[in-house]
Amino acid sequence: ATLEVGDYVLAPDLVVERKALPDLVQSLASGRLYNQAEAMLRTYRRPTLLLEFDENRPFALATRAELAADLSPNSTTSKLCLLLLHFPKLRLLWSRRPLHTIAIFDALKRGAPEPDVDKAAAVGTHAEQAAGQLFNMTPQDLLRSMPGVHAHNYRRLMNAVTNMHELSQLSLGRLAELLGEQNARRLHTFLHQSA
C-alpha cells in the first residue's frame, strides 16, 4: 500500500521516513522534511527519520574539509539540527547502507505488534481526515490561544506534556525552560488565576 505519512510503518505506533543524502539535502532545502516530520509526529507516537548513506562515500554528512565551510544557517547540518530541535520527539537513525537499514528495521520491529495495513494506508488521506481519525486539533487550538503561547513555541509544550492537566501542573521554572521567562510568566499567570 502507498503511504501518505512516512515511508515504512513498522508497528502501530512506529513510522520511519527514509532519506538518502541527496534527498535529505533537497527535502531540508525545500521545507518538505519539516512537513513530513510534523505529519509523522501528529499521527505516530514513535516517528523516526532514517538517514541512509551511500556505501561508496564516507559515513558522515560532510567531510572534515566540507564541515568548515558548512557551518552556516543554510547548511544541511544546521538545518538538520534545527529540525531536531524543533521536533525533539523525532528519532534520528543513521544507516551505512541498505543492508544496514534492513538490520535496523529488524531490530526496531522485534517484539512489536504488526501494524494494521489499512489504517497505515489511510493515515493522511482525505478519507481519514474526514472521518476525524487524525490528531485532535481542539487541544492544540486551545493551547495556541493561551497567553505566552505562539506558533514558534507551542510544539515544545505539546512535546513536554500529554494533556492540559499536565500543562497546568508545570512549574514556572519548567515553563520558562520551554517558553522563555516572559512567555512562561504570562502562561503561568493565566493558568493559575482565579476564575
Side-chain angles (χ1 to χ4, degrees):
T2 302
L3 300 176
E4 294 290 322
V5 175
D7 291 323
Y8 303 92
V9 176
L10 301 180
D13 65 343
L14 174 60
V15 65
V16 178
E17 180 67 35
R18 179 179 172 188
K19 296 283 183 200
L21 284 187
D23 188 25
L24 172 70
V25 172
Q26 186 179 37
S27 295
L28 284 169
S30 71
R32 189 174 82 237
L33 186 53
Y34 178 92
N35 294 332
Q36 290 170 318
E38 190 170 44
M40 289 192 302
L41 279 154
R42 209 177 322 136
T43 313
Y44 293 95
R45 198 172 61 76
R46 295 188 300 157
T48 305
L49 172 62
L50 182 127
L51 303 182
E52 190 172 83
F53 289 80
D54 182 342
E55 54 192 312
N56 298 320
R57 288 193 40 108
F59 186 51
L61 279 177
T63 64
R64 190 172 283 166
E66 294 169 331
L67 190 58
D70 198 33
L71 293 178
S72 74
N74 294 322
S75 72
T76 299
T77 306
S78 297
K79 287 180 180 179
L80 184 59
C81 288
L82 287 173
L83 179 80
L84 295 172
L85 285 170
H86 196 77
F87 299 111
K89 288 189 175 182
L90 180 66
R91 299 163 104 193
L92 178 65
L93 300 176
W94 308 75
S95 172
R96 291 185 178 273
R97 59 187 166 277
L99 281 176
H100 188 223
T101 298
I102 293 169
I104 290 171
F105 283 2
D106 184 52
L108 290 171
K109 185 85 182 102
R110 197 169 301 129
E114 286 295 318
D116 182 314
V117 176
D118 294 329
K119 281 185 182 177
V123 169
T125 63
H126 294 296
E128 189 236 9
Q129 290 172 7
Q133 296 171 354
L134 198 58
F135 181 71
N136 184 355
M137 296 301 284
T138 304
Q140 181 180 5
D141 294 337
L142 175 64
L143 180 65
R144 291 181 72 172
S145 70
M146 293 181 177
V149 181
H150 51 73
H152 300 292
N153 65 15
Y154 80 96
R155 285 186 189 87
R156 277 182 250 142
L157 280 176
M158 288 177 56
N159 288 328
V161 298
T162 57
N163 57 47
M164 291 295 186
H165 177 72
E166 278 186 27
L167 175 64
S168 71
Q169 301 302 308
L170 291 181
S171 69
L172 180 59
R174 179 64 177 131
L175 287 171
E177 291 172 14
L178 297 166
L179 305 174
E181 286 186 37
Q182 184 178 4
N183 288 328
R185 268 194 305 280
R186 292 177 67 206
L187 180 59
H188 192 268
T189 300
F190 173 77
L191 291 172
H192 295 94
Q193 68 186 0
S194 298

